[in-house]
Amino acid sequence: MEFSHKEGQTLALTVSYLIDESLPLVSNLANLSRALFDGFKNVSWAGFYLANEEGNTLYLGPYQGPLACTVIPFSKGVCGYSATNKRSVLVDNVHTFEGHIACSSSTNSELVAPILKNDKVLGVIDLDSNELSNFTKEDAKILEEIALIIAKLFP
Ligand code: SME
């Protein structure tokens, strides 16, 4: 299947076109991880961590990129910080973020947005880059918008 993100089409719109609600969640997330990988510039890792029922641990979900940590407590890392605080986190230099979990030593910046439904954290979307300060506040807004769309897929 040809990736359908077109010049001038917002990534959020591309995401909504890619979603097929008749499919299992994992199938949608798998394709969306690639859409996110391709949709933002200089991405080295793009994917999902999904929250457990208790809402205290994130587990690795579909992604594109090098092998990654499989379990992240809400108390750890940029992903945990985003889940705990229920807000997106933009990190220009991961080496200065206390508690950052280095899944890959080449990662320099990161953007994480929580997936929320009825104020409950269902997971996070994580984007990594080998470039410093790769992601912008505008990217954070776009990722938050995408997280809202993706939240609708969860039961
Ligand atoms: N760096 C993340 C962990 C996940 S990997 O980047 C894929 C963190 O600090 O939460």
Side-chain angles (χ1 to χ4, degrees):
M1 182 173 119
E2 200 63 33
F3 179 58
S4 62
H5 184 55
K6 307 259 176 1
E7 198 61 42
Q9 176 177 298
T10 67
L11 188 57
L13 197 59
T14 300
V15 162
S16 51
Y17 286 160
L18 276 175
I19 287 172
D20 180 344
E21 288 183 35
S22 71
L23 296 176
L25 177 64
V26 69
S27 305
N28 279 306
L29 295 185
N31 253 359
L32 290 173
S33 68
R34 186 67 209 189
L36 296 170
F37 188 95
D38 291 336
F40 290 90
K41 67 177 167 55
N42 304 325
V43 174
S44 57
W45 196 97
F48 299 92
Y49 280 93
L50 304 177
N52 62 351
E53 210 29 63
E54 293 75 19
N56 56 24
T57 309
L58 295 162
Y59 290 97
L60 183 63
Y63 72 94
Q64 296 282 311
L67 292 175
C69 332
T70 48
V71 185
I72 302 180
F74 272 33
S75 55
K76 297 259 166 67
V78 184
C79 292
Y81 190 86
S82 173
T84 301
N85 293 285
K86 298 180 180 173
R87 66 169 181 83
S88 60
V89 185
L90 176 59
V91 183
D92 286 335
N93 180 352
V94 294
H95 308 289
T96 62
F97 188 96
E98 209 183 304
H100 166 255
I101 301 165
C103 291
S104 165
S105 58
S106 57
T107 300
N108 276 317
S109 60
E110 184 159 354
L111 174 60
V112 180
I115 302 170
L116 302 166
K117 198 172 195 176
N118 303 324
D119 208 38
K120 188 178 175 198
V121 180
L122 305 168
V124 300
I125 311 174
D126 184 15
L127 302 178
D128 289 354
S129 175
N130 293 339
E131 307 296 319
L132 284 164
S133 304
N134 186 60
F135 303 105
T136 63
K137 284 186 180 146
E138 184 55 32
D139 290 334
K141 283 206 192 95
I142 293 167
L143 198 62
E144 285 165 16
E145 192 186 343
I146 289 170
L148 282 174
I149 297 167
I150 292 175
K152 293 188 192 126
L153 291 172
F154 284 72

